[in-house]
Amino acid sequence: MRNGVPSERVQSDDEPERPARPGRRTLSREDWARAALEAMREGGLGAVAVEPLAESLGTTKGSFYWHFKDRDSLIQAALERWVAESEELMAAAERIEDPVERGRRLTEYAFTAPSGADITTTLLIHAQHPVVGPILEQVTRRRLEFGARLTEELGLPADAAYRHALTALTMTVGIALIRRGAPQLLPQGEDKDAYVRYILELLGPPMT
Amino acid sequence: MRNGVPSERVQSDDEPERPARPGRRTLSREDWARAALEAMREGGLGAVAVEPLAESLGTTKGSFYWHFKDRDSLIQAALERWVAESEELMAAAERIEDPVERGRRLTEYAFTAPSGADITTTLLIHAQHPVVGPILEQVTRRRLEFGARLTEELGLPADAAYRHALTALTMTVGIALIRRGAPQLLPQGEDKDAYVRYILELLGPPMT
DNA sequence: GAGCTGCCATACGCCACCGTACGGAACGTC
DNA sequence: GACGTTCCGTACGGTGGCGTATGGCAGCTC
């Protein structure tokens, strides 16, 4: 029965997770969400387009509109995956005992991770989008609180800790944007290592 | 005589500059470029669209394609205005004698100027565009060299000065992006002043 | 093996925008 | 007052994307 309003079939959790076998016959909602998130990493929100995605998945719009109500709900699903990833990252960081080492590792990761590893920058660009905006704010708030809490463990008062976390976020976002748009301007090779050390020193042991 | 290839009528400099009188009958190439730059400040590169711009100028595409070959050449013209603005800004900074005061003023401006005052962030987002990329790189290089030179006058060696200038750029870009996308996360009111002072301290007297 | 259901293919209408073709008004020039 | 030039209005075709409508196949069920 084809119901005119596709009612956005919600995937039950006990549905068998389909392995990525190339000869598979049908796609799942998660396949689409994964592909959308991937496209977003590489080409921004504009790359989350139904028809091109369908083509890259070797299927057609018919599949998409079976699993999703519209493009926005695909974006939503992709971002929910991202939220989960973000939570996992923080949980992993939590497992590092020494707060100093923790801060160092986080900073280093932020400035050496492959471009597109985190889409915060991309999302900030499209923060006006009704789906993107709220999720972005939620995630960013949690990260800032997380960062501020880590910094407080280093002995800073709350307001300074928040400023420090905000500065780290700002630098991360700025670097990511420059790396995307004008990587020639950033130090390469040996200079890059020196630059990362410099950043670590700038953000690392906050005295203020 | 309508020449099929409009040959991109180049405006001679002695052409009388048209005042912004509302009852004017014809638009100039500069009117279009101005409007395009303005649209870019507010809505990014995507807002530089011929038909909407025509509407906001109270005219039609007929006018546009008289003055310009295509959309890209409009973007080019708008960005050339921006290059000139950037040069003026640096020249104005040059006129401040005291290098310390100069750095302070520049930093303060970067973090308090109205959102959209500088479109570097917007352009970084669209750096893949064949017209945007080269101009952006040119301007940014000049700014970094300028910043590095100023910092050298404060007594830093060349490599440290470049790192410092790059950090300032990164922070500027990052703050601008966050201000556009999630201004709630940035300190407001009194906290904002404290934050600006904090940034000034972070970037201000470079000791490294 | 008929039917039912889940999933997909295809064709369509719609919209926003780009660029072109061409007609025509306004204005100066002789 | 005819004529040329400058500038604009408008209609058109093309492209790329969204969302809908509808048909159909494959696999299961009985």
Side-chain angles (χ1 to χ4, degrees), chain B residues 39-208:
Chain B
M40 211 150 98
R41 286 192 213 283
E42 292 176 6
L45 194 59
V48 183
V50 178
E51 281 156 326
L53 267 184
E55 163 132 26
S56 85
L57 283 173
T59 182
T60 66
K61 299 198 296 182
S63 169
F64 175 79
Y65 284 100
W66 171 258
H67 293 288
F68 292 90
K69 180 174 153 288
D70 54 17
R71 177 174 176 263
D72 275 2
S73 72
L74 171 63
I75 294 172
Q76 177 100 29
L79 290 187
E80 276 163 11
R81 296 184 70 87
W82 174 64
V83 172
E85 282 179 13
S86 170
E87 293 293 331
E88 277 178 31
L89 253 167
M90 287 189 287
E94 202 90 60
R95 276 180 238 117
I96 303 176
E97 302 288 338
D98 178 20
V100 175
E101 172 67 7
R102 197 158 50 186
R104 203 192 62 75
R105 292 268 289 274
L106 279 176
T107 307
E108 189 166 13
Y109 174 75
F111 292 97
T112 57
S115 189
D118 184 27
I119 56 175
T120 305
T121 306
T122 299
L123 295 180
L124 272 170
I125 293 169
H126 300 284
Q128 319 305 328
H129 189 286
V131 172
V132 170
I135 297 184
L136 172 64
E137 180 180 353
Q138 168 206 335
V139 168
T140 310
R141 270 199 201 289
R142 271 194 56 72
R143 285 204 193 166
L144 283 176
E145 284 163 14
F146 179 77
R149 189 156 50 78
L150 291 197
T151 311
E152 283 187 60
E153 290 185 23
L154 294 171
L156 264 72
D159 56 344
Y162 184 82
R163 278 201 294 269
H164 183 263
L166 189 52
T167 305
L169 173 70
T170 304
M171 286 292 294
T172 306
V173 162
I175 291 269
L177 189 55
I178 294 176
R179 201 152 51 164
R180 264 192 27 174
Q184 328 87 320
L185 301 177
L186 292 178
Q188 313 285 339
E190 290 188 17
D191 289 351
K192 177 187 170 179
D193 298 342
Y195 186 61
V196 172
R197 279 196 300 275
Y198 162 78
I199 299 280
L200 276 168
E201 194 173 338
L202 193 69
L203 294 179
M207 313 294 190
T208 313

Side-chain angles (χ1 to χ4, degrees), chain A residues 92-182:
Chain A
E94 203 90 61
R95 277 181 237 117
I96 303 176
E97 302 290 337
D98 178 19
V100 175
E101 172 66 7
R102 198 158 50 186
R104 203 193 61 76
R105 291 268 288 275
L106 279 175
T107 307
E108 190 167 12
Y109 175 76
F111 292 97
T112 59
S115 188
D118 184 28
I119 56 174
T120 305
T121 305
T122 299
L123 295 181
L124 271 170
I125 293 169
H126 300 284
Q128 320 306 328
H129 188 287
V131 173
V132 170
I135 297 184
L136 172 64
E137 181 181 354
Q138 167 206 338
V139 168
T140 310
R141 271 200 200 287
R142 271 194 56 72
R143 285 204 194 167
L144 283 176
E145 284 164 14
F146 179 77
R149 190 156 50 78
L150 291 196
T151 310
E152 283 187 59
E153 290 184 25
L154 293 171
L156 263 72
D159 57 342
Y162 185 82
R163 276 202 294 269
H164 183 261
L166 189 53
T167 306
L169 172 70
T170 305
M171 285 293 293
T172 307
V173 162
I175 291 269
L177 189 55
I178 294 175
R179 201 153 49 166
R180 263 191 29 172

